[in-house]
Amino acid sequence: MASFLCYLMSTRLLFLIPLLHAIATSCFASRQPVLCHDDESSALLQFKQSFHWNLNSCFDPSDYPPKISSWKVEGVDTDCCSWDGVECNEETGHVIGLDLSFSCLYGSMLSNSSLFSLVHLRRLNLAYNDFNSSQIPSGFSRLSGLTYLNLSASSFSGQIPLNISVLSKLTSLDLSFNSELHLRSLQGLVFNLTSLKDLGLRYVQISSPVSEILGNLSCLRTIYLTGCGLHGEFPPGIFKLPNLQDLRVVYNPDLMGYLPEFYSSSLLKILSLAGTSFSGKLPDSIGNLNSLNELWIGDCNFSGHIPSSLGNLTQLIYLNLSGNSFVGQIPSSLSNLISLKYLDLSSRLVTSSNQSSLPWLGNLGKLTFLSFQGISLTMEIPLSLANLTQLRYLYMDGGKLRGPIPSWLANLTQLTVLALSFNFLEGPIPVAIFELKKLTLLNLYSNNLSGIVTLDMVLKPKYLASLLLSMNNISFLTSTNTNTSQNKFEVLGLASCNLRHFPDFLRDQDQLQWLDLSYNNIHGQIPKWVWNTSKETLLIVNFSHNFITGFDQHMDNFPWPQLQILDLRSNMLQALPQIPPPSTLVYLVADNMLRGEISPLICNISSLYSLDLSNNDFRGILPDCLSNFSRSLSILNFRGNNFHGIIPQLCEKGSRMKMIDLSQNQFQGVLPRSLSNCKMLKILNVGSNRLNDVFPSWLGTLPKLRVLILRENGFYGVVGSPTTIFASPELHILDLSYNKFTVTIINKGKETVYPKIKEVFKAIDLSSNKFNGKVSEFVGNLNGLQLLNLSNNNLTDHIPLSLGDLTTLESLDLSQNKLSGRIPWQLTQLTFLESFNVSHNQLTGLIPHGNQFDTFENGSFDGNLGLCGNPLSKKCENHEQAPLSSSGIKEVQDSWFHIEFDWKIILLGYVCGLIIGVVVGNFVTKKMQCWFVRT
Ligand SMILES: *[C@@H]1O[C@H](CO)[C@@H](O)[C@H](O)[C@H]1NC(C)=O
Ligand SMILES: *[C@@H]1O[C@H](CO)[C@@H](O)[C@H](O)[C@H]1NC(C)=O
Ligand SMILES: *[C@@H]1O[C@H](CO)[C@@H](O)[C@H](O)[C@H]1NC(C)=O
Ligand SMILES: *[C@@H]1O[C@H](CO)[C@@H](O)[C@H](O)[C@H]1NC(C)=O
Ligand SMILES: *[C@@H]1O[C@H](CO)[C@@H](O)[C@H](O)[C@H]1NC(C)=O
Ligand SMILES: *[C@@H]1O[C@H](CO)[C@@H](O)[C@H](O)[C@H]1NC(C)=O
């Protein structure tokens, strides 16, 4: 009923307004206009005087001079009703409207402001001024006739006074874009605002959950709650508001919710929930939202199938479903969405789907933006794209596309972005692609493309700023006499392009932000001119995997003052250039021939995230300053050098350190107890040093520790109760081998290096210590274990049957102990077992057979005088039957932690022709900054 009234009121008003206006003008045209009241006139002037305005305080220079500057009491315009921005009631002369938006006002709004004596005000707009972080005065509550109040983007701060809720006639309230503004209770604010149609609180910090009450305000037409830090559950009743047309709750990562059933009576035009934690399925009834123009639900947690009923939303212009976990096929019913201009189906997961070749795409002739990033398409680039002649942005990165790049892509003459990275495209790049005049970004990173690309080709599209040809089999040919100064590249990826020199045309480039020349055949020194290239703009430099020996120049300062990432790994450098600037986030010089001590100046890189000096010949002790080094440092890799001395304190309180690898050096002494501050630590590797310490059971308090490697040191003493550290929920790899831990001894195994750690890999290596006791004391609830090495200890008793429950086990080494009894047949159930060694024990009886056991050779069983049967030549006397079962061997998963620095992450994060803030943070946020999102 309320909604019906509300509807009636609004339509009737709409209908009546022109009529009333006509009557008013015809009746009163001949009468003297009513002049404004003196008290209101002086209140306005007082208000004017309480602020400054100048060009600097303007939101936009064109706003100057502001409306308010014309307000005067002398001269012609003494009637305030004629002042710019002031609206009076034509009959009474009272000021009923004040629009001072974009008025360059600067100064605090005080609670005794004369504004609040304008009690006849119905509409008040003060948006886009600068009220100098003042609070919203409670005096607004005196303007009880207000129907429209807009204080957006005006630098208000503090708590929103809840007495605004007495303004019960408000139909529109907008407090958006005051990021220091807080709202204690959304319910308290809106409880009495029963006429509210438009509510805007974008980027206001709201500490309460979204109130169910909103669902009772039946006049609501627009609700904007973007970036409010909302949490809790979004009340589904809000979707059912009968007049709701525009709902935007974008970027509230902690806001949960689900989509209800929708009815065809819904008036929703815009639904934007991107960047929230909404989850569940898209209901089929979403097809009932027949007025919907825009659906933005990217980067939520939706799952299930994409309902084919979406194809009923024929009014859709924008559709963004990206970054969810949908499975199955993309419904071909989307072919009905012929108004669509923007379609983003890119996926965070790689959806496995047997897509047809997307013939329906050809119907969407109005598309200007199309993204299928990360969707496993397993097809050639579909011919249906040829119909999309309006297309400006095409993203099909990481889509398992095969076959050639078709030359008909060049028919899409509006293309400005063509991104096909991380596919399996092959053959040459058609010359015609470079005829696309509007191209600004061409990203072909990591395909199987071949052939020759010449400098002249890539200079053809005059606005081409981002060119990524890296990691193909392309040869990039440059010529020395080409003038390239017309073309300004910002991103240039020429990794693995058969370059033998630094390409000469880089001399002319002064806008480069990202330069990747890695994996080429560049020999010798970096020439002097390279350091002068794009001096002011370069952010990311990758010269890794070449044969660079040094630098041509002595420099006083590091040449690129804005640098964020420097990768010089795998070259032949014997010395480093200057320490890079404090802006550096990632500094990688591993696998060179660097020697000497590391300079304490390295501690000046105050924002460093990742530091990799591994596999060089650095010597000496670590500088003390490392102890209070960058708060941001997360990855520190000094592995494989010749450092000695004690390990300095590496983590202050609040440290973000995730990985510390100091292995294969000559460090002495004890593990610094400050490591217990590394609450984020996932990997600690101090293997192969000369440390002397007791078992660091105190590391068991690190909640995220996944990998602990203490092998080959002089650790000694009792491993307290091993089960406690084993029970640590995150611990996946524990390597205590080759120490002097008691409860036993030493055996020989091959050294296992963990250069990268498999995601689900769980390993325990306690080999070559002095462990006494039974195997069963070491294996409790170790579900998920993949490697168990207890070799070369002093273990006795039987092999426990329970090992047969470790169904994920891939490698089991119990060799060189004093185990006795039979090998339990239950071990044949370990169908992933690839490596098995029980040699040199005192085992007896029949070797079980079946499954993986049929693949193990003699060496697995040697040195057990009592064992018999295949593969040993010794036959058993009492033949025993072991059960058979068959099972395939699972492919070993090959997904790595993304803990080490990974260019792929950077590249996939790089989507829009901008280099974004950088790297290591939250890709959702970056995407939002970068792509067009309805906020
Ligand atoms: C408002 O209060 C401030 C102090 O809080 C005072 O300086 C100012 O004169 C007052 N203005 C009016 C119009 O009363
Ligand atoms: C709502 O309005 C009523 C009557 O005007 C008033 O008594 C009540 O306190 C108001 N509630 C809120 C939450 O402002
Ligand atoms: C979509 O439209 C078809 C044909 O008009 C209709 O049969 C179907 O029920 C609709 N589905 C939804 C969910 O609206
Ligand atoms: C291309 O678009 C036209 C009209 O826009 C349509 O008639 C035709 O079927 C489309 N072709 C393909 C292959 O989808
Ligand atoms: C591309 O354009 C050429 C020339 O206009 C035309 O002959 C060809 O058929 C087009 N290719 C496709 C696949 O539309
Ligand atoms: C190995 O274990 C046996 C039996 O528990 C014990 O007698 C012996 O001392 C142990 N050897 C060592 C070196 O710990």
Side-chain angles (χ1 to χ4, degrees), residues 162 165-166 187-188 191-192:
L162 290 184
S165 70
V166 304
Q187 170 157 346
F191 190 77
N192 275 351

Side-chain angles (χ1 to χ4, degrees), residues 487-541:
N487 300 63
K488 298 293 186 193
F489 289 103
E490 291 167 9
V491 174
L492 207 47
L494 298 175
S496 184
C497 280
N498 284 310
L499 296 174
R500 303 191 149 270
H501 312 280
F502 285 91
D504 213 45
F505 78 97
L506 294 179
R507 287 176 196 264
D508 301 330
Q509 296 298 320
D510 55 8
Q511 300 293 318
L512 279 173
Q513 297 177 39
W514 183 347
L515 177 60
D516 183 358
L517 302 177
S518 61
Y519 294 93
N520 279 295
N521 294 315
I522 301 177
H523 284 75
Q525 302 213 316
I526 299 179
K528 193 169 177 173
W529 62 262
V530 169
W531 301 111
N532 287 323
T533 293
S534 301
K535 242 178 146 37
E536 300 305 321
T537 54
L538 264 176
L539 302 173
I540 303 181
V541 173

Side-chain angles (χ1 to χ4, degrees), residues 783-826:
N783 295 332
L785 197 68
Q786 295 181 4
L787 180 148
L788 179 61
N789 189 350
L790 300 176
S791 67
N792 200 5
N793 281 295
N794 190 25
L795 302 176
T796 54
D797 206 48
H798 292 65
I799 299 176
L801 307 186
S802 61
L803 280 183
D805 296 335
L806 303 179
T807 51
T808 51
L809 210 57
E810 292 169 12
S811 172
L812 176 60
D813 191 345
L814 302 174
S815 64
Q816 308 204 46
N817 280 291
K818 293 179 180 154
L819 299 170
S820 56
R822 294 174 190 277
I823 300 174
W825 64 263
Q826 284 83 350

Side-chain angles (χ1 to χ4, degrees), residues 507-813:
R507 287 176 196 264
D508 301 330
Q509 296 298 320
D510 55 8
Q511 300 293 318
L512 279 173
Q513 297 177 39
W514 183 347
L515 177 60
D516 183 358
L517 302 177
S518 61
Y519 294 93
N520 279 295
N521 294 315
I522 301 177
H523 284 75
Q525 302 213 316
I526 299 179
K528 193 169 177 173
W529 62 262
V530 169
W531 301 111
N532 287 323
T533 293
S534 301
K535 242 178 146 37
E536 300 305 321
T537 54
L538 264 176
L539 302 173
I540 303 181
V541 173
N542 186 354
F543 294 162
S544 70
H545 298 88
N546 278 289
F547 302 91
I548 299 171
T549 53
F551 311 90
D552 193 16
Q553 188 192 21
H554 172 75
M555 291 170 286
D556 290 333
N557 289 307
F558 192 82
W560 299 305
Q562 312 289 333
L563 197 73
Q564 298 189 343
I565 301 179
L566 179 61
D567 189 349
L568 298 173
R569 284 177 294 184
S570 291
N571 276 289
M572 298 162 74
L573 295 173
Q574 298 189 8
L576 284 175
Q578 300 288 316
I579 297 290
S583 56
T584 307
L585 301 170
V586 175
Y587 184 44
L588 312 173
V589 297
D591 301 301
N592 276 288
M593 296 148 74
L594 298 165
R595 51 182 70 146
E597 304 199 357
I598 48 173
S599 159
L601 291 177
I602 206 160
C603 300
N604 293 349
I605 315 178
S606 51
S607 355
L608 203 60
Y609 171 85
S610 176
L611 174 62
D612 187 353
L613 309 181
S614 63
N615 300 326
N616 279 291
D617 193 14
F618 286 111
R619 288 162 187 275
I621 57 171
L622 296 184
D624 272 345
C625 68
L626 282 181
S627 57
N628 47 11
F629 192 25
S630 167
R631 266 287 177 93
S632 53
L633 193 65
S634 295
I635 299 170
L636 181 144
N637 190 349
F638 289 173
R639 164 213 285 266
N641 280 288
N642 277 308
F643 291 114
H644 67 265
I646 58 161
I647 298 174
Q649 313 291 321
L650 288 174
C651 295
E652 298 182 292
K653 284 226 158 54
S655 160
R656 302 203 188 156
M657 200 72 89
K658 289 186 185 146
M659 166 177 147
I660 298 175
D661 190 341
L662 302 175
S663 64
Q664 298 173 32
N665 279 286
Q666 317 284 335
F667 288 111
Q668 294 145 319
V670 298
L671 277 182
R673 297 306 190 254
S674 65
L675 286 174
S676 61
N677 292 330
C678 308
K679 296 292 185 214
M680 314 287 277
L681 199 64
K682 289 188 173 182
I683 298 181
L684 177 61
N685 185 355
V686 294
S688 304
N689 277 289
R690 286 150 53 187
L691 299 171
N692 263 293
D693 201 349
V694 294
F695 181 73
S697 50
W698 47 274
L699 284 174
T701 62
L702 297 180
K704 310 224 159 156
L705 196 65
R706 282 175 87 94
V707 177
L708 175 58
I709 299 175
L710 304 179
R711 65 181 294 129
E712 282 193 284
N713 276 289
F715 285 98
Y716 58 89
V718 179
V719 179
S721 162
T723 45
T724 58
I725 194 144
F726 289 16
S728 163
E730 290 292 321
L731 198 66
H732 283 48
I733 295 178
L734 177 63
D735 187 343
L736 306 182
S737 60
Y738 298 94
N739 278 291
K740 296 180 202 143
F741 290 120
T742 50
V743 204
T744 300
I745 313 215
I746 296 167
N747 178 16
K748 209 173 145 299
K750 66 171 186 265
E751 162 126 356
T752 323
V753 187
Y754 308 99
K756 292 188 171 174
I757 314 297
K758 287 178 190 174
E759 180 83 66
V760 294
F761 193 93
K762 293 189 173 191
I764 293 179
D765 189 342
L766 304 179
S767 63
S768 303
N769 279 289
K770 299 181 177 178
F771 290 112
N772 286 308
K774 302 178 183 177
V775 174
S776 55
E777 289 164 10
F778 294 87
V779 281
N781 284 326
L782 294 172
N783 295 332
L785 197 68
Q786 295 181 4
L787 180 148
L788 179 61
N789 189 350
L790 300 176
S791 67
N792 200 5
N793 281 295
N794 190 25
L795 302 176
T796 54
D797 206 48
H798 292 65
I799 299 176
L801 307 186
S802 61
L803 280 183
D805 296 335
L806 303 179
T807 51
T808 51
L809 210 57
E810 292 169 12
S811 172
L812 176 60
D813 191 345

Side-chain angles (χ1 to χ4, degrees), residues 13-31:
L13 277 177
L14 281 175
F15 172 69
L16 287 179
I17 283 168
L19 188 65
L20 286 171
H21 188 70
I23 294 168
T25 41
S26 63
C27 290
F28 305 120
S30 56
R31 288 201 0 207

Side-chain angles (χ1 to χ4, degrees), residues 339-377:
S339 303
L340 217 53
K341 288 186 180 166
Y342 179 107
L343 177 58
D344 188 349
L345 297 176
S346 55
S347 173
R348 203 168 6 170
L349 297 177
V350 179
T351 43
S352 59
S353 51
N354 294 320
Q355 301 293 340
S356 56
S357 57
L358 310 174
W360 51 271
L361 264 180
N363 270 353
L364 309 182
K366 292 189 179 162
L367 276 184
T368 61
F369 182 108
L370 177 61
S371 175
F372 280 116
Q373 273 192 329
I375 296 194
S376 172
L377 295 168

